Amino acid sequence: KGKKKATGTRGGDSLRTARPPLPHPNLSAGDRRGARPPPPGGLPLLLAMALQGKKLINNPDDVVTEFIEGLVETYPGLQYLDGFPEIKVVLRADAVGGAYDKVAVISGGGSGHEPAHAGFVGPGMLTAAVSGDVFASPPVDSILAAIRAVTGTMGCLLIIKNYTGDRLNFGLAAEQAKSEGYKIEMVIVGDDCALPPPRGIAGRRGLAGTILVHKVAGAAADAGLSLADVAAEAKHASEAVGTMGVALSVCTLPGQVTSDRLGPEQIELGLGIHGEPGAAVVELQTVDVVVEHVLKQILSQETQYLPITRGSNAVLLINGLGATPVMELMIAARKAVPELQLEYGIAVDRVYTGTFMTSLDMAGLSITIMRSDENILQRLDAPTKAPAWPVGSEGNRPPAKFPVAVPPSPSMKDDEILSERQELSKQGCMLEAAIEAAAKELIDLKDNLNDWDSKVGDGDCGTTMYRGATAILEDMKTRYHLNDAAGTVNEIGSTIRKVMGGTSGILCMTYSARLHMQA
């Protein structure tokens, strides 16, 4: 069965280690960062392995360039440099030719994290994004090409994640660009909160918090600020953000076999976005327990990863790692907001929930917290046409949200509750027994009905029937006038109408209504 963060309770309210914590190696060493080379055997074997991973691709070597081609076909405001396959740069179509009159903001890194970084190119965010091969830093010449293509007299800010390959390649490109007369500043983002201090040779990894730094810097540049001021705002944002991820599965590289490193009942805390080992492998827990643990780690006063205390304001970002349904991300958001407000005394100013920085097809999520102030909120709310930035998330949140009342039913009888236990006639007792027997039979058949339905449909018939049967048993105690058979049939229809959806629900309700009409 697929692992779902919101199903089942295992082991109470604390995370239990399934095996001893993994060692904390230098997670940033090496340019490929965990990516294995293509296997010997040529294209037939590569395609066979791609089929094992079930990816909708052509040649695994072409996934990045073909992704870029599809991206610019989709969004008219994006363009790419004509340098495939060595140079893979996405840029704003209106910023080409060296005539750009604002600070250029460039980011990038290895591919496989889509929509990052190319999906955040657009007015109000990045001016260009440089892509390497999957999980491999882009080479120096690609970064230089991006700088030369979009940098004008105002200069260029490079925003990079804290990985060895990225720092070396972007750093060398920055020095070369400076020698050519370009004004260059660089901000490094290391927002990972998973590993305890000491944080390895290279320090904390750059994760999804980088996207918020992109937004702050891009908005500042779009407002016409100088290079020094844009860099200062980006650096301030990078120092106020913390992230931790939880993986339900490891990712599958194009053309390679899916790893079985995580068992069906295991999750990994702090797994890196390139598949690097995290802090620990633990037993699968409910999403509420996972969110509590992640927030506790990010906000730990012992490690002091994030300079935020009770009474502060913050921005929350819930990020899917590639194969996590939006439903599960929203369930995590629903827990994280009140947890921050009630348990930690932190006011949540903005919530961004979606897929921002992935690890190919990894199942899981990361949670990012950024300490907010009026300037950061202004930058986050500033308009942008970057295609991957969430729409409708700007603006002040109310301190609490209360559901809107359901409009009253025109027929009050549907909601009538019996004031006292009714004396049943012989026919009433027989009707009660019949309803109870039928409902219990449906409850017992839940799994069988789901199994049969899955062979021809969506596999939820048993669950729908179970929901209706349990509601009927509950309403029978307080709502059904069992001495009135026709009225009881009508009331059963009302129960079904409230709790049963799908085809089976409407058919059962229609059947009850027809019986009542004929009675």
Side-chain angles (χ1 to χ4, degrees):
K1 296 182 178 179
K3 291 179 283 186
K4 299 291 182 181
K5 297 181 289 303
T7 57
T9 301
R10 301 181 55 82
D13 293 331
S14 62
L15 292 168
R16 299 184 299 180
T17 304
R19 59 178 168 83
L22 298 172
H24 306 145
N26 176 14
L27 298 174
S28 299
D31 192 32
R32 294 288 297 185
R33 296 194 290 273
R36 292 170 288 179
L43 186 59
L45 180 56
L46 282 172
L47 292 177
M49 296 179 76
L51 286 175
Q52 288 181 340
K54 290 187 178 179
K55 292 185 179 295
L56 291 170
I57 62 174
N58 298 307
N59 188 329
D61 294 334
D62 298 333
V63 292
V64 180
T65 56
E66 291 181 353
F67 157 74
I68 291 174
E69 289 171 342
L71 184 73
V72 300
E73 290 286 359
T74 303
Y75 299 105
L78 301 184
Q79 187 54 276
Y80 66 92
L81 293 182
D82 186 16
F84 287 170
E86 291 83 11
I87 294 174
K88 298 179 279 289
V89 175
V90 174
L91 64 161
R92 287 174 51 177
D94 62 349
V96 181
Y100 190 59
D101 61 354
K102 295 179 180 178
V103 172
V105 181
I106 299 177
S107 188
S111 297
H113 307 302
E114 291 72 26
H117 298 275
F120 297 102
V121 174
M125 284 196 77
L126 299 180
T127 319
V130 191
S131 297
D133 292 329
V134 174
F135 293 173
S137 300
V140 172
D141 282 357
S142 293
I143 302 165
L144 272 172
I147 294 172
R148 292 165 182 156
V150 300
T151 304
T153 58
M154 293 289 284
C156 174
L157 172 65
L158 302 177
I159 300 175
I160 65 173
K161 302 186 300 300
N162 188 32
Y163 294 98
T164 302
D166 290 347
R167 294 187 65 163
L168 290 174
N169 283 283
F170 276 86
L172 185 55
E175 293 305 313
Q176 178 63 35
K178 289 177 183 178
S179 72
E180 296 177 11
Y182 292 99
K183 294 186 290 185
I184 306 291
E185 293 287 347
M186 188 160 62
V187 170
I188 298 168
V189 183
D191 54 317
D192 185 18
C193 297
L195 302 180
R199 296 151 187 166
I201 296 173
R204 296 163 63 187
R205 300 169 291 189
L207 300 174
T210 309
I211 305 303
L212 297 178
V213 179
H214 289 166
K215 185 64 176 68
V216 170
D222 201 50
L225 270 64
S226 68
L227 176 59
D229 289 340
V230 172
E233 290 202 18
K235 189 173 189 301
H236 170 70
S238 72
E239 293 171 346
V241 65
T243 301
M244 180 174 173
V246 177
L248 281 70
S249 69
V250 297
C251 59
T252 304
L253 274 70
Q256 298 194 20
V257 178
T258 303
S259 170
D260 58 356
R261 190 171 102 204
L262 284 179
E265 296 296 319
Q266 294 178 329
I267 60 176
E268 188 157 1
L269 305 175
L271 187 72
I273 56 173
H274 311 97
E276 313 99 318
V281 173
V282 301
E283 293 183 4
L284 178 64
Q285 302 287 342
T286 64
V287 68
D288 283 3
V289 175
V290 170
V291 169
E292 288 173 3
H293 179 85
V294 171
L295 293 181
K296 182 178 179 181
Q297 180 74 4
I298 295 174
L299 299 171
S300 170
Q301 292 301 304
E302 296 180 6
T303 57
Q304 293 188 336
Y305 285 119
L306 190 60
I308 191 169
T309 57
R310 185 174 292 273
S312 300
N313 291 55
V315 168
L316 172 68
L317 184 143
I318 307 290
N319 171 58
L321 293 177
T324 309
V326 173
M327 178 183 288
E328 295 180 29
L329 299 177
M330 291 300 176
I331 292 172
R334 145 221 157 268
K335 171 63 177 177
V337 172
E339 184 78 7
L340 284 170
Q341 294 181 152
L342 300 178
E343 294 298 321
Y344 293 95
I346 296 172
V348 179
D349 290 325
R350 304 287 186 276
V351 179
Y352 306 101
T353 302
T355 300
F356 303 93
M357 182 177 288
T358 65
S359 181
L360 293 170
D361 58 352
M362 182 181 289
L365 60 78
S366 65
I367 297 178
T368 298
I369 302 171
M370 174 181 277
R371 189 187 66 222
S372 59
D373 53 38
E374 286 301 319
N375 186 68
I376 282 181
L377 294 180
Q378 181 182 355
R379 300 304 185 207
L380 293 176
D381 285 348
T384 179
K385 291 185 178 180
W389 183 255
V391 175
S393 55
E394 68 279 356
N396 294 326
R397 295 180 64 257
K401 283 196 173 183
F402 300 97
V404 179
V406 176
S409 171
S411 173
M412 297 305 295
K413 190 172 183 180
D414 287 348
D415 299 321
E416 180 182 345
I417 298 177
L418 299 177
S419 58
E420 57 184 32
R421 176 70 179 177
Q422 56 184 324
E423 285 291 333
L424 297 182
S425 63
K426 181 179 179 180
Q427 289 80 7
C429 289
M430 292 173 61
L431 182 58
E432 181 182 44
I435 294 172
E436 185 174 350
K440 288 182 176 179
E441 186 68 18
L442 284 173
I443 290 171
D444 292 340
L445 284 172
K446 173 187 173 183
D447 291 338
N448 286 337
L449 289 171
N450 279 338
D451 183 50
W452 298 332
D453 187 34
S454 67
K455 292 177 171 57
V456 294
D458 52 8
D460 68 343
C461 178
T463 301
T464 303
M465 291 292 188
Y466 174 88
R467 190 178 296 117
T470 53
I472 286 170
L473 289 178
E474 186 65 29
D475 282 359
M476 187 169 64
K477 300 174 186 177
T478 57
R479 296 181 183 274
Y480 297 173
H481 297 266
L482 293 167
N483 290 333
D484 177 5
T488 297
V489 170
N490 186 50
E491 288 154 359
I492 288 174
S494 296
T495 299
I496 291 171
R497 188 173 65 201
K498 287 186 289 186
V499 301
M500 288 180 66
T503 303
S504 54
I506 189 64
L507 289 176
C508 289
M509 189 195 76
T510 303
Y511 179 64
S512 297
R514 190 65 177 265
L515 283 178
H516 179 251
M517 290 171 61
Q518 294 177 350

